Amino acid sequence: MESLAMYLRLSIEDDGDKDESNSISNQRKQIYKYIHHDSKLSKYEVVEFCDDGYSGTNMERPGMQKMLKEVKANKIRCIIVKDMSRFSRDYIEMGTYLNQIFPFMGIRFISINDRYDSREHHGNTIEIDTAFQTLLYDLYSKDVSVKVKASFENKCANGEYVFGQVPFGYEKSKEVKNAVVVNESEAVIVRYIFSLAMQGKSSTQIARQLHEENVPTIMQMRKPDKEYTDGKVHSWSENSVRRMLNNRFYLGEMAYGKSVRKSVGSKNGVSVPMEDWKVIKDHHEALISEEIFMQLSLFRPDYSTKRNREKHPLTGKLYCGGCGYSLNYKPLTGKNRYRRFECRKHALLQIPECCTYISADILEETVLFMLNKELMLRGDAVKQSQSLTSFQKAGIASLKKKLEKYQSEMKQARERKDSLYERYALSGLTKEAYQNDSNEISEQIALLSVKIEEITGKLAVMEAEYQKTEEDMKQIIRYSHIDKLTQDVVDTFIKKVYAYKDKRVEIEWNFSVDQGISQAKST
């Protein structure tokens, strides 16, 4: 059934009350009132899309993306907003939708406060006053962005900590807004880590000692009630220790201006060189002295930890069967004589069951053998899958037939209700007779709505299952035999790979039908 989309949006850049029960509610009431007074619009099924707390400077909003997906599926014939800034504050993007996309797709667009209805323009270019209004929204958004940025920088310059999480060892003050104070229970651990480093211990040795002494991790300290169900042994890592030893925040310094946005509404930031950072010294109580930090700091201004490393297709999918952590790929280099994978937690946790290392050549050969064997088995199952898809197609057709029937009954019930009101308005019915018949039709419409929603949900699930089965069959036929492990092959078929100490390999496949885990032992 074709629908009318009501789009609502509220963000921090808007004036007024930000509460859902107020501003969003007011937008909703205003749009419903407009629909009620338009005889053609009132016959559509109204679907609401809402983004509460999202900026209008870009289209990456969940409610907006969901609505545009429905538009592309040709399920929406009209979109109504309170004003154009609810839809977008980007002048160019707004014009593109009004002048090109919506006219091409036959979508009627209504902006109540701007008194704009695309039906009155018949797909022609928007008038100068409307174009000027969208430009004002765009300029207003950029002006707000500049003001917000200036306010943020002013607060930082005044010593206010307006960032998110506070570094371990500190917390937000409960007495002074945007102030940072020492968290003594965490600070004890921070000072202990620096003292171990002063003894000449490496970050890996420190992390191992913290683990052996059962010192709580940062996550365990800050979220003590969180339950871990992934089966991993959670402990300190050498990276978290190294970051702490390199953090000048423990000297009492606060730095800001580390990155800048590419443009208004952009989610991507550009890093600013360290020498251009803005630093406030003696901003808060220091946990270590300058002398200690200079002796221990591993950071060098001309040194970067970013390296162009060779990426292996199994990276991100290969895990140690002993501890559950991912395996790191070690390519051929000056010091590495052969390609291999190593358990990144073995040196720290010293778990006997860990797969300390495995040859990359042997692993690739084993995975390829298991994959081709699995594809042969799946290939034999294709004929069986054809009967499954036939069953799914029959089920989908049956559900669609039911859905069309209920939608037809819904349309007829609404027409009867409209006709009933006309008869009552022309004094053809008594008030009692009208109320009785109207209540009966309303109950029928409510019941049909429930049935339509239920059938639509079942249909969506069955269609998704059918498409996945079809895709699995196409992939199996496409990759009849594989002689090389590529990124495309791994992403298509493999979900996870587990390597064990005894060189046994387990693979969790990406198939939807008869999904399971295959096992083999490398030789």
Side-chain angles (χ1 to χ4, degrees):
M1 178 184 291
E2 294 180 344
S3 305
L4 179 153
M6 176 198 331
Y7 182 71
L8 318 169
R9 185 186 65 80
L10 187 70
S11 75
I12 57 174
E13 64 196 18
D14 300 311
D15 295 329
D17 197 338
K18 311 299 187 296
D19 191 78
E20 155 73 18
S21 62
N22 293 314
S23 294
I24 291 289
S25 177
N26 286 339
Q27 292 179 46
R28 185 183 294 114
K29 288 178 182 177
Q30 187 174 355
I31 295 175
Y32 267 123
K33 183 178 179 181
Y34 185 91
I35 295 172
H36 179 71
H37 286 88
D38 189 305
S39 58
K40 291 186 178 180
L41 294 177
S42 59
K43 293 181 180 180
Y44 280 103
E45 179 184 0
V46 180
V47 182
E48 179 180 311
F49 300 91
C50 180
D51 286 311
D52 191 4
Y54 288 85
S55 171
T57 55
N58 63 70
M59 304 295 280
E60 297 302 319
R61 298 166 246 153
M64 172 62 71
Q65 291 302 313
K66 186 177 179 182
M67 182 178 71
L68 293 179
K69 185 177 180 181
E70 294 292 296
V71 168
K72 292 175 183 176
N74 212 25
K75 296 180 180 179
I76 291 174
R77 298 263 50 89
C78 180
I79 297 174
I80 299 184
V81 293
K82 174 183 169 241
D83 57 59
M84 290 185 181
S85 68
R86 299 305 96 201
F87 186 84
S88 176
R89 288 187 181 274
D90 187 302
Y91 169 65
I92 302 298
E93 197 146 36
M94 185 79 236
T96 300
Y97 276 94
L98 291 184
N99 290 330
Q100 300 176 29
I101 298 176
F102 289 155
F104 175 78
M105 301 191 72
I107 305 294
R108 181 181 176 187
F109 185 86
I110 299 173
S111 175
I112 298 174
N113 287 359
D114 299 302
R115 298 183 180 180
Y116 175 84
D117 187 339
S118 62
R119 185 180 61 177
E120 299 173 2
H121 295 269
H122 304 290
N124 296 327
T125 302
I126 59 177
E127 297 176 354
I128 187 65
D129 57 342
T130 305
F132 183 68
Q133 186 67 36
T134 59
L135 176 59
L136 286 180
Y137 289 141
D138 191 7
L139 294 175
Y140 168 76
S141 178
K142 288 177 171 60
D143 181 58
V144 169
S145 176
V146 170
K147 290 178 179 177
V148 170
K149 181 181 178 182
S151 174
F152 179 85
E153 290 188 351
N154 285 336
K155 288 182 177 180
C156 289
N158 291 329
E160 295 185 51
Y161 190 90
V162 289
F163 307 98
Q165 194 175 47
V166 183
F168 188 70
Y170 294 93
E171 63 183 9
K172 290 281 188 74
S173 173
K174 297 180 177 61
E175 299 175 355
V176 182
K177 185 179 180 180
N178 293 335
V180 175
V181 295
V182 174
N183 180 314
E184 288 300 336
S185 58
E186 294 180 359
V188 170
I189 299 176
V190 174
R191 294 189 185 100
Y192 181 51
I193 289 174
F194 274 93
S195 69
L196 292 176
M198 286 294 291
Q199 298 173 23
K201 295 181 181 292
S202 67
S203 56
T204 301
Q205 291 172 329
I206 293 173
R208 183 187 302 149
Q209 183 166 336
L210 294 174
H211 172 67
E212 293 172 350
E213 296 175 358
N214 293 321
V215 176
T217 63
I218 297 174
M219 185 66 71
Q220 289 169 338
M221 287 290 290
R222 295 195 165 178
K223 294 184 178 180
D225 299 327
K226 182 177 179 180
E227 295 183 4
Y228 299 96
T229 58
D230 54 9
K232 294 181 181 178
V233 178
H234 288 268
S235 66
W236 285 88
S237 69
E238 61 272 25
N239 288 333
S240 60
V241 172
R242 190 180 298 113
R243 283 194 299 268
M244 189 176 293
L245 296 175
N246 292 336
N247 195 345
R248 295 186 66 87
F249 198 86
Y250 296 113
L251 288 173
E253 296 181 2
M254 183 185 79
Y256 63 99
K258 298 180 180 180
S259 64
V260 293
R261 296 281 183 185
K262 290 184 177 180
S263 61
V264 176
S266 172
K267 293 184 177 181
N268 298 320
V270 179
S271 298
V272 174
M274 184 180 175
E275 57 269 20
D276 294 331
W277 292 358
K278 297 173 183 176
V279 179
I280 300 178
K281 294 184 177 293
D282 300 322
H283 172 264
H284 50 270
E285 182 181 344
L287 295 184
I288 60 165
S289 67
E290 179 78 28
E291 293 75 19
I292 292 177
F293 186 85
M294 293 305 295
Q295 290 182 51
L296 302 178
S297 177
L298 305 178
F299 185 87
R300 296 293 181 269
D302 58 347
Y303 176 76
S304 173
T305 57
K306 296 180 181 179
R307 303 174 186 173
N308 294 323
R309 292 182 176 177
E310 176 188 339
K311 185 182 177 183
H312 193 278
L314 290 173
T315 299
K317 293 179 180 284
L318 181 60
Y319 298 87
C320 172
C323 65
Y325 283 93
S326 60
L327 297 181
N328 287 342
Y329 176 59
K330 301 293 183 180
L332 288 173
T333 61
K335 61 180 180 180
N336 293 334
R337 297 182 179 179
Y338 63 93
R339 300 184 309 122
R340 65 186 184 279
F341 287 92
E342 292 182 353
C343 176
R344 65 186 183 89
K345 283 287 184 177
H346 177 69
L348 173 64
L349 301 178
Q350 297 291 310
I351 296 177
E353 293 79 15
C354 274
C355 176
T356 54
Y357 71 93
I358 185 169
S359 166
D361 292 332
I362 293 177
L363 181 65
E364 289 167 4
E365 185 180 340
T366 303
V367 171
L368 273 173
F369 171 78
M370 295 173 67
L371 178 56
N372 282 307
K373 180 181 178 182
E374 188 71 19
L375 288 176
M376 289 178 62
L377 295 174
R378 301 276 176 175
D380 293 338
V382 166
K383 293 181 180 180
Q384 299 177 19
S385 296
Q386 288 175 344
S387 62
L388 172 64
T389 55
S390 298
F391 172 76
Q392 289 174 328
K393 287 172 69 175
I396 290 171
S398 176
L399 287 177
K400 284 184 175 179
K401 190 174 182 180
K402 284 184 180 179
L403 183 60
E404 290 175 359
K405 175 177 175 292
Y406 291 144
Q407 288 175 341
S408 176
E409 291 178 2
M410 173 75 83
K411 183 178 180 181
Q412 293 173 8
R414 284 177 171 166
E415 289 175 350
R416 290 202 310 273
K417 193 170 184 179
D418 291 341
S419 176
L420 184 68
Y421 179 77
E422 290 176 1
R423 289 172 56 195
Y424 171 65
L426 296 173
S427 302
L429 283 176
T430 63
K431 183 177 180 180
E432 290 76 13
Y434 168 74
Q435 287 180 339
N436 289 335
D437 291 348
S438 178
N439 290 338
E440 183 178 340
I441 296 175
S442 296
E443 289 178 4
Q444 183 183 0
I445 290 175
L447 180 61
L448 286 170
S449 295
V450 173
K451 289 182 178 180
I452 289 173
E453 185 177 356
E454 182 181 354
I455 294 294
T456 302
K458 288 181 179 179
L459 186 61
V461 172
M462 188 166 286
E463 285 180 334
E465 290 177 348
Y466 172 74
Q467 290 175 1
K468 188 68 173 69
T469 304
E470 284 277 286
E471 185 61 29
D472 284 351
M473 291 168 62
K474 290 178 183 178
Q475 295 292 7
I476 291 171
I477 295 171
R478 176 186 172 193
Y479 297 96
S480 57
H481 179 74
I482 302 170
D483 55 10
K484 185 178 180 181
L485 206 61
T486 65
Q487 193 67 59
D488 180 48
V489 168
V490 171
D491 292 340
T492 300
F493 295 107
I494 297 175
K495 188 174 183 180
K496 288 183 179 180
V497 178
Y498 293 93
Y500 291 86
K501 184 178 180 180
D502 59 0
K503 307 307 177 185
R504 180 168 45 93
V505 175
E506 291 182 354
I507 300 180
E508 188 175 342
W509 303 107
N510 256 338
F511 297 102
S512 61
V513 183
D514 298 327
Q515 188 173 14
I517 296 178
S518 299
Q519 295 186 15
K521 189 169 183 178
S522 58
T523 56

